[in-house]
Amino acid sequence: ENQLYNAMTGYLMALSGQHIDLPRGHIGGQTGSIELKAAWLTVPDPENAKWNRYKLSEALLHDAEHDTCSVSTIALVGLHIIHKTESQPQWIWATFEHQDNAPNQSAVDEGNVGDNYTFFNPSCEPQAIPQHCIGNKTSSCDSTIKSDPPQSMTSCIPNDSPGFCVTPDCPALPVQVTRVHAIANGQDNLVLDTNEATHALIKEKAGADSVWANYMLIDVLWSDSPVDENTANRPPPLAPLSISGMRPSPNERPISNTTMETYIQGTTCIQCHMHAELAMPTNDPSLTPFASDYSFTFQSAGSAKGTD
């Protein structure tokens, strides 16, 4: 309704003093804004019984480089859910994973790890990176090319980036993944107890073989002294936005999803999202970096057809 899919429209709206203030949920009223980000794994052998533990779906995968499509079975491995409410204008941030994703780093250090994890192989051996993929920087993944000269072999070091840019012509090679911060009952969030109670309820109501009993809450981020930067009579805020009062404290207990923040597990989601901005309608560096209410969705806004 507000045409915020158009970068120019969004920018001019903020420039005129209107806030990018996503709807808030109310008890007994509107649900409010919810954003989901899911991580899926392509399944080469869906007939394998191990996939009975996963939420499966069929996906049409588009290869943008070659403009081709293929149908694939995919398995849900990670999920972010964020929700904006009246009492939490900085949003509530929850993240979930499949329990077979990766072991705790502490267990790996102790040598106490089996071979049932999807993203960790105790018998890992480095693999040769195809010659045409070595150092193949692209605009979206320069940060993965860390060495000079670029590395020619993959690494078995946990949570080490792949060393080359994954493209249709350079498909992914295995990366070792561990959970740096083990799931725990914290002072702010009783995560282990919540998972135990929820799994018991799922099995009672949906059956012992429900796939959802194999997923676990990693943690929830919320504020005990929320800051609303979209209050009336104030100009639209600029990025970065406030992360005041977040619990657990990002400095004390980072929250990350091993499938989506594999290489940055020392941070927490809102430390990234506080920098979310509206898409710029032009490349003019003097334009004001208006904040987009912690949502990166608006950075995908494009120009309206027929305009520059």
Side-chain angles (χ1 to χ4, degrees), residues 91-93 219-223 246-248 255 268-270:
W91 302 67
I92 301 166
W93 309 74
D219 216 327
V220 178
L221 192 68
W222 53 280
S223 178
M246 300 310 293
R247 294 288 181 268
I255 297 175
T268 203
C269 37
I270 199 170

Side-chain angles (χ1 to χ4, degrees), residues 97-121:
E97 290 189 45
H98 197 282
Q99 61 187 15
D100 294 345
N101 281 352
N104 293 331
Q105 181 62 53
S106 58
V108 174
D109 294 339
E110 296 168 0
N112 185 26
V113 177
D115 58 1
N116 295 322
Y117 290 102
T118 303
F119 299 110
F120 185 86
N121 178 7

Side-chain angles (χ1 to χ4, degrees), residues 181-186 189 191 218-219 221 247-256 265-268:
H181 303 281
I183 300 172
N185 279 337
N189 299 331
V191 184
I218 305 303
D219 216 327
L221 192 68
R247 294 288 181 268
S249 168
N251 295 327
E252 296 175 4
R253 179 172 173 77
I255 297 175
S256 57
Q265 293 187 47
T267 186
T268 203

Side-chain angles (χ1 to χ4, degrees), residues 36-56:
L36 307 176
K37 181 192 290 184
W40 299 85
L41 178 68
T42 53
V43 177
D45 54 345
E47 68 285 349
N48 191 315
K50 74 175 183 178
W51 300 114
N52 294 339
R53 294 168 53 80
Y54 290 79
K55 161 61 182 174
L56 300 180

